[in-house]
């Protein structure tokens, strides 16, 4: 982020180990007060091409020859360096997203370092498949697979957990020996750029990590997915964007990995630990102002505890401290942008038109200070909507949920599964058998029982239906980011 004052940063593309300006700039806005905190240089087609070529060059050089041990050591150094610049990363993430400083310090930045360490460990200990095969003449053959990098990986990420989600892809891609060109969200360009400084400090060879800034269609995102020398594309973002990217990459048959949207359900049985369940669901609905793909926007509660549950969640929603992201006591920051707030507010209006009962929230808070220029919104709970209502069907991506009753386990399962998405679910019960039984029926990539967003990076992560294609995490990441060449030797 080379030139700039303390107030307005100039955020540039990073190519072949150098910061590079482009022809056009766009503003980086702080969602907490609407102020412009940075000018970001947009990558045109030529700049994206230079980034891809620099990645190709890196693959042909020292990086392409690095052993697994050397790559793992490099990744661990990146983790250490992120930690040595912890406050800087936290400050940049908070300014870009408006998320509470306590959240960035507890979740986003520690997870970025953890991503690099975890994939350094995984690539170091990953084995090779081998099979001894009987041949027709009574002899045998030995099969074994070797792992090779895909080449240049294009990585496109959203704004909700910018550094966490970017490093979740960069770390395994580099562990497998690829070079990357990343396109962070136009809303949150800072931490991907800070990561470039980290790469430089750790002595990562030039061209291994490149950053291009810009938008999606007819900008850096599309130019990257269209590029013929990009060997694979991994994307996290909206399902509709996934459709557009899929069309673009179809002509060149590149491997893709898509982590997309969700309309996740939580099922609360009357036998749950009530305090645990209400606390867990408050987190699942409101964390990061509801801007986590795993957030629960549909909560199904067994009828016997419905009223008690609704009033407990209402109490928790109303107790949440909205405020400046820089105040350590703040629990809820703003939404990411004016445009996104307009979208969420339009769903708040739609919910009323669709006949919802507003339990709490439904509007925009007032602070009487500069935060009124930010994009804050009230945490909101609805009841009374039909299961066919758009607000129950469509992803809103804000601090909002609809609560509906159920009478039987089968009914709860059917309602939870009645969606085109299939990302995450959570089940709250003290009956272990029921926990397993219901979890196994969920049409979702991830189901939590009596917890939410509890992550082990070795496990498969992804979604079904509109929520994505493929799985990342653990061996699934290593397999996505490599080509396996099976070698068969007649013995
Ligand atoms: P988005 O799809 O609008 O943008 C994501 C990224 O794609 C951005 O960098 C954007 O510039 C780029 N982009 C947009 N159009 C493009 C195109 N045509 N070609 C190439 N790139 C393009 O998503 P968002 O608003 O940034 O993020 C919110 C969405 O992401 C929600 O739907 C949320 O559920 C989803 N999400 C999913 C996961 C997951 O793991 N499944 C994680 C986080 C967020
Ligand atoms: O924890 C992760 O690895 C992950 N990919 C989380 C996604 C959160 C969505 O907003």
């Amino acid at each position: 982020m080379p030139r700039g004052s303390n107030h307005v940063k100039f955020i540039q593309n990073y190519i072949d180990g150098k910061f590079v300006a482009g022809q056009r700039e766009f503003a980086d806005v702080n969602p907490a007060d609407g102020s412009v905190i940075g000018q970001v240089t947009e990558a045109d087609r030529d700049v994206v091409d230079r980034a891809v070529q620099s990645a190709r060059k890196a693959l042909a050089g020292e990086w392409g020859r690095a052993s697994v041990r050397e790559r793992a050591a490099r990744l661990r150094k990146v983790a250490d360096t992120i930690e040595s610049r912890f406050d800087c990363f936290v400050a940049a993430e908070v300014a870009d997203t408006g998320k509470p400083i306590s959240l960035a310090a507890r979740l986003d930045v520690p997870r970025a370092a953890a991503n690099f360490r975890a994939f350094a460990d995984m690539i170091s200990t990953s084995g090779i498949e081998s099979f001894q095969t009987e041949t027709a003449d009574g002899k045998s053959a030995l099969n074994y697979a070797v792992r090779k990098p895909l080449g240049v990986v294009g990585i496109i990420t959203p704004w909700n957990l910018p550094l966490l989600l970017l490093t979740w892809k960069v770390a395994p891609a580099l562990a497998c020996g690829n070079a990357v060109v990343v396109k962070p969200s136009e809303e949150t360009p800072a931490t991907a750029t800070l990561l470039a400084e980290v790469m430089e400090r750790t002595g990562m060879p030039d061209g291994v990590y490149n950053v291009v800034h810009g938008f999606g269609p007819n900008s850096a995102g599309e130019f990257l997915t269209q590029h013929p020398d990009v060997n694979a594309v991994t994307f996290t973002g909206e399902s509709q964007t996934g459709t557009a990217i899929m069309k673009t990459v179809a002509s060149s048959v590149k491997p893709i990995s898509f982590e997309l949207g969700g309309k996740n359900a939580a099922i609360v049985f009357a036998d749950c630990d009530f305090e645990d369940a209400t606390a867990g669901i408050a987190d699942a609905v409101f964390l990061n102002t509801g801007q986590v793909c795993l957030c629960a926007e549909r909560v199904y509660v067994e009828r016997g505890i419905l009223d008690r549950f609704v009033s407990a969640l209402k109490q928790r929603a109303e107790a949440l401290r909205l405020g400046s992201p820089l105040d350590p006591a703040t629990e809820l920051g703003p939404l990411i942008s004016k445009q996104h707030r307009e979208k969420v507010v339009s769903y708040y209006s739609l919910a009323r038109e669709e006949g919802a009962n507003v339990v709490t929230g439904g509007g925009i808070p007032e602070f009487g200070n500069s935060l009124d220029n930010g994009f804050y919104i009230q945490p909101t709970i609805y009841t009374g909507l039909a299961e066919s209502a758009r607000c129950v069907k469509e992803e809103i991506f804000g601090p909002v949920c609809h609560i509906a009753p159920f009478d039987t386990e089968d009914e709860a399962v059917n309602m939870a599964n009645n969606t085109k998405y299939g990302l995450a679910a959570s089940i709250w019960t003290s009956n272990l058998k029921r926990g397993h039984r219901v979890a196994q029926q969920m049409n979702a990539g991830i189901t939590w029982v009596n917890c939410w967003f509890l992550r082990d990076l070795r496990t498969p992560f992804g979604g079904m239906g509109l929520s994505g294609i493929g799985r990342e995490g653990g061996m699934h990441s290593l397999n996505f980011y490599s080509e396996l060449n099976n070698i068969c030797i007649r013995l």
Side-chain angles (χ1 to χ4, degrees):
M1 235 174 280
R3 68 195 165 103
S5 71
N6 284 337
H7 301 296
V8 178
K9 303 221 160 31
F10 290 88
I11 298 176
Q12 297 183 321
N13 303 301
Y14 183 72
I15 297 173
D16 203 17
K18 287 165 218 62
F19 286 96
V20 176
Q23 300 292 317
R24 290 202 307 211
E25 289 183 346
F26 60 94
D28 183 17
V29 171
N30 181 341
D33 59 10
S35 63
V36 172
I37 51 172
Q39 287 298 327
V40 189
T41 182
E42 185 180 353
D44 58 20
R45 200 182 283 279
D46 176 56
V47 169
V48 172
D49 180 54
R50 282 161 58 199
V52 174
Q53 297 318 331
S54 100
R56 289 238 79 82
K57 198 173 82 183
L59 290 167
E62 177 195 345
W63 184 246
R65 294 186 296 275
S67 66
V68 166
R69 193 165 53 83
E70 286 164 339
R71 294 200 304 256
R74 195 74 80 179
L75 263 56
R76 292 194 182 101
K77 224 166 157 190
V78 171
D80 293 346
T81 312
I82 291 173
E83 282 169 350
S84 74
R85 301 191 68 191
F86 188 84
D87 291 346
C88 193
F89 273 100
V90 168
E93 203 70 314
V94 168
D96 260 7
T97 59
K99 70 177 66 201
I101 190 163
S102 59
L103 181 60
R106 167 166 64 88
L107 174 68
D108 300 71
V109 180
R111 240 315 279 285
N115 284 337
F116 282 101
R117 284 209 182 93
F119 285 104
D121 290 349
M122 286 184 241
I123 195 68
S124 304
T125 55
S126 74
I128 292 179
E129 279 182 271
S130 78
F131 298 95
Q132 187 113 11
T133 311
E134 297 279 315
T135 56
D137 57 3
K139 296 194 175 153
S140 68
L142 176 67
N143 285 276
Y144 67 96
V146 291
R147 191 179 286 290
K148 300 202 305 187
L150 292 165
V152 178
V153 179
I155 297 179
I156 301 178
T157 49
W159 44 257
N160 62 325
L161 304 169
L163 184 67
L164 184 161
L165 292 170
L166 182 99
T167 53
W168 168 243
K169 292 176 181 299
V170 170
L174 298 190
C176 292
N178 300 284
V180 300
V181 179
V182 307
K183 208 299 281 174
S185 169
E186 55 275 31
E187 306 284 1
T188 52
T191 47
T193 315
L194 272 179
L195 189 60
E197 294 181 8
V198 165
M199 296 289 174
E200 232 171 52
R201 279 198 193 185
T202 56
M204 188 67 85
D206 291 349
V208 172
Y209 176 82
N210 304 276
V211 186
V212 292
H213 290 294
F215 304 83
N218 201 27
S219 182
E222 193 173 57
F223 302 151
L224 185 59
T225 57
Q226 284 173 338
H227 202 292
D229 289 337
V230 169
N231 301 98
V233 172
T234 174
F235 166 72
T236 303
E238 277 192 10
S239 302
Q240 275 183 352
T241 312
T243 307
I245 293 178
M246 201 160 178
K247 281 188 189 147
T248 307
V249 299
S251 59
S252 52
V253 199
K254 295 183 209 308
I256 49 163
S257 172
F258 282 174
E259 297 180 332
L260 308 177
K263 187 73 182 179
N264 310 303
I267 302 179
V268 187
F269 287 96
D271 65 8
C272 68
D273 177 321
F274 193 80
E275 281 303 304
D276 256 22
T278 49
I281 288 180
D283 229 15
V285 174
F286 301 120
L287 189 85
N288 206 36
T289 318
Q291 302 166 120
V292 178
C293 58
L294 309 161
C295 277
E297 292 191 2
R298 299 179 295 138
V299 182
Y300 298 105
V301 180
E302 196 165 351
R303 198 177 298 275
I305 59 162
L306 179 70
D307 293 346
R308 188 170 157 230
F309 182 89
V310 171
S311 90
L313 199 67
K314 172 179 192 288
Q315 228 173 27
R316 286 187 182 271
E318 290 173 356
L320 286 169
R321 281 181 296 242
L322 274 75
S324 164
L326 295 174
D327 180 344
T330 293
E331 293 167 301
L332 219 60
L335 292 171
I336 189 68
S337 64
K338 186 164 181 280
Q339 190 190 8
H340 187 53
R341 184 168 71 174
E342 280 163 9
K343 174 184 157 183
V344 176
V345 165
S346 78
Y347 276 104
Y348 283 10
S349 309
L350 179 65
R352 288 193 182 86
E353 286 162 29
E354 290 185 312
N357 167 42
V358 184
V359 174
T360 187
I364 291 175
E366 283 179 18
F367 297 93
N369 58 34
S370 65
L371 299 182
D372 287 331
N373 299 323
F375 314 124
Y376 287 82
I377 194 150
Q378 289 173 335
T380 296
I381 301 172
Y382 295 118
T383 56
L385 286 171
E387 283 298 291
S388 57
R390 279 183 54 204
C391 289
V392 178
K393 291 275 166 229
E394 297 172 14
E395 182 185 51
I396 300 172
F397 219 53
V400 54
C401 72
H402 178 250
I403 306 179
F406 69 85
D407 292 300
T408 66
E409 192 177 300
D410 281 351
E411 191 190 2
V413 168
N414 288 336
M415 290 200 289
N417 281 342
N418 186 13
T419 170
K420 290 191 169 147
Y421 292 97
L423 187 57
S426 65
I427 292 155
W428 302 83
T429 177
S430 54
N431 178 335
L432 194 59
K433 278 190 180 172
R434 180 170 21 218
H436 283 289
R437 190 168 61 231
V438 175
Q440 290 184 21
Q441 293 176 77
M442 286 296 101
N443 291 338
I446 311 130
T447 301
W448 281 286
V449 179
N450 296 328
C451 57
W452 176 76
F453 205 179
L454 200 169
R455 296 277 292 115
D456 180 323
L457 307 185
R458 296 167 299 183
T459 60
F461 183 96
M464 49 189 287
L466 286 185
S467 293
I469 296 179
R471 295 290 181 274
E472 297 196 37
M475 285 308 294
H476 306 276
S477 293
L478 300 188
N479 287 342
F480 175 74
Y481 292 104
S482 9
E483 291 290 359
L484 293 179
N485 176 8
N486 187 71
I487 296 163
C488 177
I489 304 178
R490 193 175 155 84
L491 299 174

